[in-house]
Amino acid sequence: MKIGIIGTGGIATSAHIPNYVKAGMDVVAVMNRTRANGERVARQFGIPNVYETVEEMLTYEQLDAVSICTPNALHKEQVLLALEAGCHVLCEKPPGISENEAIEMLKAAKRAGKTLQYGFHYRHRADTVLLKRMIDAGELGDIYAATAFALRRRGIPGWGVFTNKELQGGGALLDIGVHMLDLALHLMGYPKPREVVGHVGQYLGNRPGVGLLGEWDASSLSVEDTARAMITFENGASLLLDVSYMANIEEKDTMRVECRGTNAGASLFPLTLHTEKYGALFDERPTYLTEHDPYERQIQRFLEACREDPNYRQAEEAVILHRIIDRIYA
Ligand SMILES: NC(=O)c1ccc[n+]([C@@H]2O[C@H](COP(=O)([O-])OP(=O)(O)OC[C@H]3O[C@@H](n4cnc5c(N)ncnc54)[C@H](O)[C@@H]3O)[C@@H](O)[C@H]2O)c1
């Protein structure tokens, strides 16, 4: 397949391009609004063609699929252009910046009859895949409660535009919270939300401090550094979400999901099952699990999906995900 890359920053060069190459795909073009940056990445990976606009790239190249690796607020327009040009699309997370955008992208994928997937690589970790199989086999019973944490002690990225609401659409919630929210919903079978109580704010990120992910510009922070929520679902389950870029906690960072079912509980990461058997309480962990790179697996799954009849499940799930996020912000 012929692949094009839109945006040539951190995630494009660390996760997308190398894994397409590993999968034997032909990455034929990159697009970056700054030509010199696009050319540098093209040279690094031996990619023949560089464009400064998405339109140009889609006009002059016959692409089968594109990856979209630009700031969040640009995703929707670029997804629509790529689908209209007949490409399958792997768009980085978050899908967009609102439910309306997720709906537009879903409709566009259906119109085009093309695969649209999003970069939720935590779904592709070996421990997550195993837990999902166990849940689907009924090991946990009905999941009635879950908790998702995405916390960094000091972790506003010092690169890119992560402090800029206009380009990112939001802060910690849309950037890191979205990973664990998606993961919890994925494990719960993406139930439909009923009520959402959300709370977001700026508490520590708007003043200078220790930057474990580089120096960010505290004076221009226009996004939330903290988001918390309680979500109930039509099926009777509930989910607690706790997200922060700047949390005075013990760990440097923690990405974690806990699911409680009527037969057993489970937590990630690491994968642990919590059960009651023979009048005793057990915690069980896999003794050996073949690890793989979740970014590599994500690209493999995307390419497989491109070859199959299109299914719109992930694009439909993105609508639910963004509905919840919209309500937290509201
Ligand atoms: N899945 C993950 O774990 C993960 C990790 C990091 C980033 N991401 C996502 O990937 C996307 C990009 O993040 P990144 O860390 O690679 O950022 P980055 O800043 O390193 O790269 C962003 C790219 O977009 C381009 N860009 C910036 N502003 C633009 C504009 N106004 N118009 C056109 N192009 C523009 C930049 O030139 C650059 O090529 C974001 O949506 C982010 O949420 C996902």
Side-chain angles (χ1 to χ4, degrees), residues 62-317:
Q62 294 299 310
L63 301 171
D64 298 298
V66 300
S67 269
I68 294 175
C69 305
T70 50
N72 307 339
L74 306 175
H75 289 180
K76 191 225 28 180
E77 283 309 321
Q78 296 173 340
V79 165
L80 296 193
L81 285 171
L83 287 168
E84 279 160 18
C87 298
H88 299 287
V89 178
L90 175 58
C91 174
E92 261 308 330
K93 50 54 61 173
I97 59 170
S98 67
E99 181 186 4
N100 282 341
E101 288 200 353
I103 292 170
E104 268 192 76
M105 292 189 284
L106 168 64
K107 283 186 182 161
K110 287 185 172 170
R111 246 189 339 263
K114 298 290 171 185
T115 291
L116 170 59
Q117 291 194 353
Y118 296 112
F120 289 115
H121 69 275
Y122 283 90
R123 288 182 179 211
H124 300 281
R125 285 175 55 124
D127 39 14
T128 305
V129 172
L130 175 59
L131 176 57
K132 181 67 175 149
R133 276 180 59 206
M134 295 173 87
I135 289 171
D136 290 346
E139 199 86 31
L140 268 60
D142 295 327
I143 298 176
Y144 61 87
T147 310
F149 300 91
L151 301 171
R152 288 178 182 162
R153 189 158 176 170
R154 294 288 182 273
I156 300 179
W159 69 90
V161 293
F162 290 87
T163 56
N164 179 327
K165 186 158 173 80
E166 209 181 313
L167 282 170
Q168 280 295 97
L173 175 58
L174 265 183
D175 183 30
I176 55 173
V178 74
H179 269 305
M180 292 301 105
L181 179 58
D182 173 73
L183 191 59
L185 293 167
H186 170 65
L187 294 170
M188 296 170 90
Y190 255 90
K192 288 208 175 69
R194 199 174 56 189
E195 294 165 303
V196 178
V197 178
H199 182 83
V200 297
Q202 275 183 8
Y203 297 96
L204 306 179
N206 47 11
R207 59 184 197 232
V210 178
L212 295 183
L213 293 180
E215 294 241 334
W216 78 100
D217 179 10
S219 64
S220 70
L221 185 83
S222 55
V223 295
E224 80 286 354
D225 60 34
T226 300
R228 313 186 81 226
M230 167 76 174
I231 303 135
T232 62
F233 299 94
E234 287 178 6
N235 69 0
S238 68
L239 169 62
L240 279 170
L241 180 67
D242 189 1
V243 180
S244 184
Y245 270 152
M246 305 282 288
N248 282 325
I249 53 170
E250 187 174 352
E251 303 100 322
K252 187 165 154 259
D253 54 53
T254 178
M255 299 291 262
R256 215 166 77 233
V257 169
E258 296 166 3
C259 295
R260 290 178 228 158
T262 47
N263 292 343
S267 38
L268 284 170
F269 306 95
L271 172 57
T272 313
L273 280 196
H274 313 289
T275 57
E276 178 180 337
K277 287 193 257 192
Y278 304 101
L281 303 179
F282 286 83
D283 287 334
E284 294 173 64
R285 284 197 182 159
T287 308
Y288 179 77
L289 184 59
T290 309
E291 296 293 342
H292 54 246
D293 176 354
Y295 291 107
E296 182 181 357
R297 189 57 61 96
Q298 173 172 275
I299 295 283
Q300 289 167 349
R301 292 287 173 266
F302 170 62
L303 293 170
E304 281 164 22
C306 295
R307 290 184 201 107
E308 290 163 6
D309 288 339
N311 90 63
Y312 306 106
R313 208 180 64 236
Q314 244 205 28
E316 281 161 355
E317 290 171 351

Side-chain angles (χ1 to χ4, degrees), residues 31-84:
M31 172 268 156
N32 194 302
R33 67 192 167 133
T34 318
R35 187 160 193 95
N37 287 346
E39 281 174 350
R40 185 179 40 76
V41 170
R43 258 194 317 277
Q44 184 187 347
F45 291 96
I47 298 166
N49 301 308
V50 179
Y51 296 91
E52 283 172 49
T53 69
V54 177
E55 289 87 344
E56 247 186 313
M57 182 170 91
L58 294 171
T59 304
Y60 292 112
E61 299 290 333
Q62 294 299 310
L63 301 171
D64 298 298
V66 300
S67 269
I68 294 175
C69 305
T70 50
N72 307 339
L74 306 175
H75 289 180
K76 191 225 28 180
E77 283 309 321
Q78 296 173 340
V79 165
L80 296 193
L81 285 171
L83 287 168
E84 279 160 18

